[in-house]
Amino acid sequence: MEAFWISLGVIFVAELGDKSQLMAMTFATRFKPLPVLAGITLATAVVHLLSVGLGGLIGDALPTTAIAVVAGVAFLGFALWTLRGDELSEEESRKADRATRSALIAVTVAFFLSELGDKTMLATITLATQHGWFGTWIGSTVGMVAADALAIVVGRMLGRHLPEKVIRYGAAAAFAVFGVLLLAEALL
């Protein structure tokens, strides 16, 4: 239990103001909250499971540069995709209202890529070297999901008060900024 509570607290605080929390807010302006939260949870659980495994095996010897470059390029792609926008037929629109799979996949992939080599991943690896892997995994996952859930609530409130065009341009800009920051971190 000690590993759980320490990890939850450390990761929750580390996630506040992090790019992933801003991504959660951005996704929440475009998609329903449940698939966004599910995607974040899935990606976080997998990344943090890898993190505790790495923490137990190799510590801080991660090839974070290559991972950050791939994530940066992916985010620039997300920005272009968001700017381009999508046109739906009436049938596709009805399906989109019912289906959450594409939102779940987009959020899961985006969060998975953004968390690889991120400070919360590195913090989880460090915590796993000092505490039990299971408590660290569950605590770090719950801490991150809780912080991002706060961002989803804020994103949903903003989304109700902003025109769709502003949301689209804002989301594209946010993804572009995340991509550039990831590339800058990796290459500088």
Side-chain angles (χ1 to χ4, degrees), residues 16-88:
L16 294 176
D18 191 57
K19 68 181 180 288
S20 333
Q21 195 177 39
L22 297 173
M23 277 180 26
M25 190 181 310
T26 302
F27 275 121
T29 63
R30 299 191 64 214
F31 300 117
K32 293 178 182 176
L34 191 56
V36 173
L37 190 59
I40 290 168
T41 303
L42 183 59
T44 301
V46 172
V47 169
H48 288 201
L49 184 59
L50 292 171
S51 299
V52 296
L54 288 171
L57 295 175
I58 60 172
D60 58 1
L62 291 174
T64 56
T65 300
I67 292 168
V69 168
V70 169
V73 170
F75 276 94
L76 292 175
F78 288 140
L80 292 174
W81 184 13
T82 301
L83 266 182
R84 180 188 68 122
D86 290 326
E87 304 245 344
L88 297 177

Side-chain angles (χ1 to χ4, degrees), residues 15-158:
E15 186 66 8
L16 294 176
D18 191 57
K19 68 181 180 288
S20 333
Q21 195 177 39
L22 297 173
M23 277 180 26
M25 190 181 310
T26 302
F27 275 121
T29 63
R30 299 191 64 214
F31 300 117
K32 293 178 182 176
L34 191 56
V36 173
L37 190 59
I40 290 168
T41 303
L42 183 59
T44 301
V46 172
V47 169
H48 288 201
L49 184 59
L50 292 171
S51 299
V52 296
L54 288 171
L57 295 175
I58 60 172
D60 58 1
L62 291 174
T64 56
T65 300
I67 292 168
V69 168
V70 169
V73 170
F75 276 94
L76 292 175
F78 288 140
L80 292 174
W81 184 13
T82 301
L83 266 182
R84 180 188 68 122
D86 290 326
E87 304 245 344
L88 297 177
S89 68
E90 258 187 60
E91 182 181 335
E92 288 172 326
S93 183
R94 284 192 303 272
K95 285 181 184 176
D97 287 340
R98 292 189 310 264
T100 58
R101 192 177 85 200
S102 61
L104 177 66
I105 292 168
V107 173
T108 301
V109 169
F111 268 81
F112 182 82
L113 290 173
S114 73
E115 286 306 307
L116 292 176
D118 190 53
K119 68 181 176 187
T120 52
M121 180 183 185
L122 299 175
T124 302
I125 290 169
T126 303
L127 289 166
T129 63
Q130 301 167 8
H131 304 285
W133 75 270
F134 187 74
T136 300
W137 174 49
I138 299 298
S140 64
T141 300
V142 169
M144 186 160 162
V145 170
D148 290 338
L150 289 174
I152 290 170
V153 170
V154 171
R156 293 300 291 178
M157 287 190 290
L158 285 175

